Amino acid sequence: MTIALIDGVANNTWRRATRAEMEDEASKCLNVERVSYADAGGDPQKFNSDINSFVAQGYDIIVAFTDFGDASIPAYRAATQARVTVVPYISSLSGEVGTDYAANPYQDQIYIGRQWAHWFGKNGIKGNVVFLGGTPGATSSQRFMDGFKAGVPSIPTSSYWRTITS
């Protein structure tokens, strides 16, 4: 089988580590003939084009970081219809398993954001909270911030903190 990993923006250490992990784990499987990689460099059109290119090259599996959220569902759907196993991961998408992709494993960033806010409140952290997030516009960063803001009411005012968001 052949596997492609696609990042929307691979400009950080975590993305390099996940790529290395994918390549390392795939190298242990005798059935994997090739692992390829693409970085869209922050361009949603290139991201979707990379998906289409891997489909045209006959790849069996495409694993994709959900940098562009639901905007890539048409490309995932077309790949799925071409009988490619597509697995977008990290953020929950509105697509349908079996129609738009094979699976969509994701972190519940809203829950995680709320837990961070609760932790700040519980531990009485004093000072400013600055969340820089990931790639600008990343769905995962926005959902984390939504959860964090939702958890803010649980923080006692005696914690003396404020959030700065962009």
Side-chain angles (χ1 to χ4, degrees):
M1 78 180 82
T2 53
I3 303 171
L5 174 63
I6 304 175
D7 277 324
V9 181
N11 62 356
N12 61 54
T13 304
W14 188 82
R15 300 291 181 101
R16 287 189 280 281
T18 57
R19 176 183 179 185
E21 285 294 329
M22 165 78 89
E23 291 169 347
D24 181 57
E25 290 301 318
S27 74
K28 299 171 187 174
C29 181
L30 298 176
N31 293 330
V32 176
E33 297 173 6
R34 180 177 51 194
V35 176
S36 295
Y37 178 76
D39 172 12
D43 182 345
Q45 291 177 341
K46 182 175 181 328
F47 184 83
N48 292 341
S49 177
D50 288 339
I51 293 168
N52 296 337
S53 176
F54 284 125
V55 170
Q57 293 174 58
Y59 276 75
D60 300 301
I61 300 169
I62 296 174
V63 178
F65 194 97
T66 56
D67 285 296
F68 307 110
D70 287 347
S72 296
I73 288 179
Y76 300 148
R77 183 180 307 120
T80 299
Q81 289 172 350
R83 298 185 182 267
V84 176
T85 300
V86 179
V87 182
Y89 74 100
I90 210 69
S91 294
S92 177
L93 299 174
S94 67
E96 184 178 330
V97 172
T99 299
D100 299 316
Y101 38 75
N104 178 214
Y106 63 92
Q107 297 174 334
D108 186 342
Q109 289 103 353
I110 292 174
Y111 174 80
I112 293 168
R114 284 183 180 163
Q115 292 304 305
W116 277 43
H118 291 298
W119 184 88
F120 277 95
K122 180 180 176 184
N123 291 287
I125 303 300
K126 296 181 181 180
N128 296 330
V129 176
V130 178
F131 176 70
L132 300 177
T135 305
T139 305
S140 55
S141 293
Q142 183 59 54
R143 289 188 176 159
F144 175 90
M145 238 4 254
D146 291 345
F148 190 87
K149 288 177 183 177
V152 167
S154 69
I155 299 175
T157 55
S158 63
S159 294
Y160 302 108
W161 70 275
R162 63 187 174 101
T163 57
I164 302 169
T165 60
S166 59

